[in-house]
Amino acid sequence: VMAGSSRIGTEAVKDTSLWESSSDNQEEMEKQGSFIAGIKHLFTYPDKKTWSRTVLAYTSFNSSFSEGYLDSSYLRHDTYTNSYTYPSYRGSFMLNHKINSRNTIRAGSNFSIMDAEMSNYRTNSSGSIDTMVLPHADGNMLQGYVQWKHRTINDVEFSTGLHYLRYSLTGHQTLEPRAGFRWTITPRSAFNAGIGFHSRAESMAVYSSLVRN
């Protein structure tokens, strides 16, 4: 289990006699918090060449920001606020098999069930409030991969593989080939290179933004 929080910002002094400029009554505050809890299980198979890892976890991340000002009565007026909370359940499984001293294959999958509670409000020039994001979104993400790693006798290692990604929120699917190279020059230095395709899912707020004309 792991958790943490942070807070950073500025607050106006509640004494108008100390306000020397138009920005002295301005306030802004950003807060963030996270929580992770999970279990991991490692299992070695009877052949002693194969092992697996299973992970189940619950994660939550929240972030909020507010911007505004104090009036002469020290009442707070927000001009912009947002709040995002992303709880999710995650599971992963990986199977690793050592064929021989030079070749290893690995395969696995990751599955996430995600949720989002969101708010984003901005006061426009006419004084009314614009809503910038949908209040709720949910979806799931499935990833799968397979990899083959080969080590030569000259401290050189090659790896190739395929990665699959499906994101339900967008309906997007990808199948991405990848390859890598590692040359161990000395026990303390190595040269690495890789090539391939790599896609990722953005924050759920990106897909839930409301576009104003």
Side-chain angles (χ1 to χ4, degrees):
V1 177
M2 183 172 63
S5 63
S6 64
R7 168 180 169 148
I8 186 171
T10 58
E11 295 180 336
V13 177
K14 294 183 178 180
D15 186 346
T16 56
S17 65
L18 299 177
W19 295 355
E20 299 178 352
S21 67
S22 58
S23 63
D24 287 343
N25 68 333
Q26 303 293 310
E27 293 190 329
E28 64 177 31
M29 185 62 63
E30 181 176 2
K31 301 177 184 179
Q32 292 187 346
S34 60
F35 175 82
I36 302 172
I39 57 174
K40 178 172 67 174
H41 178 258
L42 298 175
F43 181 75
T44 301
Y45 291 80
D47 63 2
K48 304 300 182 182
K49 294 182 178 182
T50 308
W51 59 273
S52 64
R53 181 183 66 198
T54 304
V55 178
L56 297 174
Y58 170 81
T59 68
S60 179
F61 174 77
N62 61 80
S63 174
S64 65
F65 178 80
S66 63
E67 188 177 71
Y69 63 92
L70 297 184
D71 62 20
S72 58
S73 299
Y74 308 126
L75 296 177
R76 167 70 182 247
H77 300 272
D78 288 325
T79 56
Y80 178 77
T81 64
N82 68 48
S83 177
Y84 300 95
T85 301
Y86 302 109
S88 62
Y89 296 92
R90 304 178 186 272
S92 69
F93 176 79
M94 183 187 73
L95 184 67
N96 189 92
H97 176 67
K98 185 176 182 180
I99 301 172
N100 52 46
S101 60
R102 296 186 185 179
N103 296 279
T104 302
I105 56 173
R106 175 177 293 182
S109 64
N110 301 290
F111 186 71
S112 301
I113 301 173
M114 301 171 291
D115 196 77
E117 299 296 333
M118 303 169 287
S119 66
N120 192 322
Y121 302 108
R122 179 184 64 186
T123 303
N124 60 33
S125 57
S126 65
S128 59
I129 297 176
D130 293 333
T131 300
M132 310 297 291
V133 70
L134 294 173
H136 177 80
D138 59 73
N140 59 74
M141 183 187 301
L142 172 65
Q143 299 181 74
Y145 59 90
V146 60
Q147 178 187 27
W148 169 61
K149 183 183 294 183
H150 174 71
R151 295 177 180 174
T152 71
I153 60 175
N154 298 317
D155 297 320
V156 175
E157 183 179 286
F158 298 95
S159 61
T160 60
L162 283 173
H163 179 267
Y164 170 78
L165 170 66
R166 181 181 65 80
Y167 191 31
S168 69
L169 192 62
T170 62
H172 186 61
Q173 297 185 75
T174 61
L175 185 62
E176 304 159 336
R178 300 172 182 176
F181 168 83
R182 177 183 174 88
W183 174 31
T184 303
I185 303 171
T186 70
R188 300 184 63 181
S189 61
F191 174 79
N192 295 274
I195 189 171
F197 294 95
H198 182 85
S199 60
R200 68 171 188 177
E202 299 291 343
S203 165
M204 299 183 81
V206 174
Y207 305 106
S208 305
S209 297
L210 298 176
V211 179
R212 301 189 65 83
N213 297 323

